[in-house]
Every structure is written in structure tokens, then in C-alpha cells.
Amino acid sequence: MEKRGSIFLFVRVWLDGLRTKRNSRLETQQRKEKAMHQALIRFQELYKRRAIDGFVLGVNSDEETIVRVMYMQDRIPPSRAWFAVSRDGSEIRELSFDVVAELEAPWR
């Protein structure tokens, strides 16, 4: 009987661990999507043009998310703008390329 109880306890602890990991991944994904959406809105406010898409370049600890917004001008490849979005979304600031150069992959 004791062996059966310890197996159930093991399974329960294991399942709780899986749930915690899943919830953490879900929270991170939601945070990235929210940051990207807010950066796209901020881009449209500043540049008065439509963006092609946004992409999360990185999440700096628990403070801010770095988002790249791509938009078309008169050339290919598309132009890019970078934004840092705070965790709660209250602060969105535009970044220069020098700040995000180490995160940005070169164009191929």
C-alpha cells in the first residue's frame, strides 16, 4: 500500500511540474504577443505608415521586451524600427540600431 501511495505522489509532483512549465511558457508567449502588438501600434502613431510585421528579438529579464517592426519604403529589403516595451506596457521607447545590433541578424 505504501508503494502505491508513493507512486501516486510521484506522478502528482511530476504533473504539477509539467503544469508549471506550461503556464510559464504560456505567460511568456502572451507577454511577447502583447509587446509586439503595442510596438506595432506605437510605430503607426510615430511614422503614420503601416507596418509589415513585428518580431520579438528578445526579452530582457523581467523588465522589457525588444521588438523589431518591419515596414516598406522605396527599397528592398524592408526598413526596420526597434522598440523596447516594458513588462506592463506602460512605457514604449524607440531604440537605435546601435542598441540592438548584437540581437539583430545580418540580412542575407
Side-chain angles (χ1 to χ4, degrees):
M1 221 33 162
E2 236 177 85
K3 187 176 182 181
R4 180 182 241 176
S6 64
I7 290 173
F8 286 133
L9 179 62
F10 170 78
V11 170
R12 183 175 183 155
V13 168
W14 180 70
L15 287 174
D16 286 344
L18 287 178
R19 272 190 221 105
T20 302
K21 286 180 186 177
R22 186 191 70 205
N23 289 343
S24 176
R25 282 193 309 261
L26 183 62
E27 181 181 310
T28 302
Q29 183 64 30
Q30 288 172 340
R31 179 178 169 199
K32 286 179 178 181
E33 288 175 5
K34 180 180 176 186
M36 189 171 53
H37 179 71
Q38 290 175 328
L40 289 169
I41 290 172
R42 179 70 174 168
F43 171 82
Q44 288 177 344
E45 290 172 357
L46 290 176
Y47 288 90
K48 306 293 187 223
R49 62 176 55 223
R50 196 157 188 254
I52 297 172
D53 201 3
F55 181 76
V56 174
L57 289 178
V59 178
N60 294 343
S61 64
D62 289 337
E63 296 170 12
E64 56 187 17
T65 303
I66 308 297
V67 179
R68 174 182 59 213
V69 176
M70 298 175 64
Y71 61 99
M72 289 302 292
Q73 284 188 321
D74 295 334
R75 64 184 181 89
I76 293 177
S79 298
R80 301 170 285 177
W82 299 270
F83 294 90
V85 181
S86 66
R87 183 175 181 88
D88 61 355
S90 62
E91 184 181 339
I92 303 170
R93 58 190 174 88
E94 189 170 10
L95 303 172
S96 68
F97 179 75
D98 297 335
V99 175
V100 297
E102 60 192 34
L103 298 172
E104 191 65 73
W107 288 101
R108 301 195 199 302

